[in-house]
């Protein structure tokens, strides 16, 4: 009986060591890069309630983190922006995202027309869930976000990048907003990021299939 109790206590101890700590500590222990060490600004939109879910999703995450490969690309993009538009800054709105948060996010739109904009956890999630994607915009010297036509995390056609010219002609987007979007895309691509069609703010360093083969899912 005594041996059994000791075995159980040892198992509990190991479990506690694996699961203890904040999300920041877990990501740091995995070798992820603290984005605050890069030459960018940070304002995590899911750490507040002014996002498309209307709730705070990051209750145990204070910082923004990226896989080292994505962090390296972001540093290059920041350098490109300094050359291209001195005084303008990259503003990170979301980075690595644990699957527990992805589930909350998807549940907020499940069964609606907006569900197609949010990666389904049942299908393995998306590139944020590997720390290989960043949601980002531009900020001026005063720290205020530049006009982009929509807020970051706007779930609708106005956020699409493949119909910007048509939306500009229709008056849905201003020339300034499209110009800012194109500047953001230019420097992020120079850094090594890829775009996706329906979110002007989302950039990733590899495909989902490659991530599943080569990287670890943030399944916590």
């Amino acid at each position: 009986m005594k041996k059994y109790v000791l075995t159980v206590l040892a198992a509990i101890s190991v479990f506690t060591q694996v699961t203890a700590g904040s999300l920041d500590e877990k990501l740091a222990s995995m070798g992820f890069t603290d984005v605050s060490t890069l030459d960018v600004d940070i304002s995590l939109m899911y750490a507040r309630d002014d996002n498309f879910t209307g709730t705070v999703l990051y209750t145990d995450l204070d910082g923004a983190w990226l896989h080292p490969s994505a962090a390296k690309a972001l540093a290059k993009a920041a350098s490109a922006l300094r050359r291209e538009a001195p005084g303008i800054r990259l503003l990170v709105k979301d980075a690595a995202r644990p699957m527990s948060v992805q589930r909350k996010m998807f549940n907020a739109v499940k069964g609606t027309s907006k569900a197609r904009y949010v990666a389904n956890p049942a299908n393995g999630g998306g590139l944020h869930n590997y720390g290989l994607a960043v949601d980002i915009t531009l900020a001026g010297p005063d720290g205020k976000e530049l006009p982009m036509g929509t807020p970051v995390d706007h779930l609708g056609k106005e956020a699409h990048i493949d119909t910007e010219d048509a939306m500009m002609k229709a008056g849905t987007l201003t020339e300034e907003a499209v110009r800012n979007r194109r500047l953001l895309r230019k420097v992020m691509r120079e850094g090594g990021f890829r775009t996706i069609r329906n979110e002007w703010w989302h950039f990733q360093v590899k495909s989902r299939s490659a991530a599943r083969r080569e990287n670890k899912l943030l399944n916590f």
Side-chain angles (χ1 to χ4, degrees), residues 92-161:
V92 173
K93 303 302 290 281
D94 194 33
R97 182 190 304 154
M99 284 295 283
S100 57
V101 175
Q102 189 70 34
R103 293 185 187 96
K104 293 178 183 178
M105 194 175 290
F106 185 75
N107 286 339
V109 295
K110 187 176 180 180
T112 74
S113 60
K114 295 182 178 181
R116 65 192 183 104
Y117 291 101
V118 182
N120 189 340
N123 298 329
L127 273 293
H128 283 284
N129 308 129
Y130 293 88
L132 296 168
V134 62
D135 289 340
I136 197 165
T137 188
L138 298 175
D142 59 359
K144 294 182 179 179
E145 295 182 29
L146 298 187
M148 293 292 195
T150 75
V152 173
D153 90 340
H154 173 82
L155 307 185
K157 63 182 180 179
E158 297 83 4
H160 294 198
I161 69 174

Side-chain angles (χ1 to χ4, degrees), residues 140-211:
D142 59 359
K144 294 182 179 179
E145 295 182 29
L146 298 187
M148 293 292 195
T150 75
V152 173
D153 90 340
H154 173 82
L155 307 185
K157 63 182 180 179
E158 297 83 4
H160 294 198
I161 69 174
D162 56 349
T163 54
E164 288 173 343
D165 285 331
M167 288 191 287
M168 187 166 55
K169 289 180 180 179
T172 304
L173 295 178
T174 66
E175 290 185 15
E176 181 183 16
V178 173
R179 185 168 61 250
N180 290 335
R181 288 187 185 192
R182 289 174 177 168
L183 172 60
L184 178 62
R185 287 200 293 271
K186 183 177 189 295
V187 299
M188 293 297 282
R189 283 170 174 161
E190 285 187 32
F193 284 96
R194 307 176 184 186
T195 59
I196 61 172
R197 184 184 67 83
N198 56 5
E199 294 179 358
W200 61 259
W201 58 82
H202 176 99
F203 296 87
Q204 58 195 51
V205 292
K206 63 173 65 174
S207 67
R208 190 179 303 184
S209 59

Side-chain angles (χ1 to χ4, degrees), residues 62-78:
D62 295 320
W65 299 82
L66 285 173
H67 185 276
S69 61
K72 184 178 179 180
L74 186 58
K76 289 182 179 179

Side-chain angles (χ1 to χ4, degrees), residues 22-28 32-37 40-47 57-66 92-98 101 128 133-134 218 220:
S22 68
L23 292 179
D24 295 272
E25 291 170 334
K26 289 180 180 179
L27 291 167
F32 276 48
T33 300
D34 182 350
V35 175
S36 69
T37 63
V40 299
D41 296 331
I42 302 169
S43 178
L44 292 180
M45 58 188 172
Y46 300 120
L57 297 178
Y58 289 149
T59 58
D60 191 27
L61 182 69
D62 295 320
W65 299 82
L66 285 173
V92 173
K93 303 302 290 281
D94 194 33
R97 182 190 304 154
V101 175
H128 283 284
V134 62
L218 303 178
F220 48 81

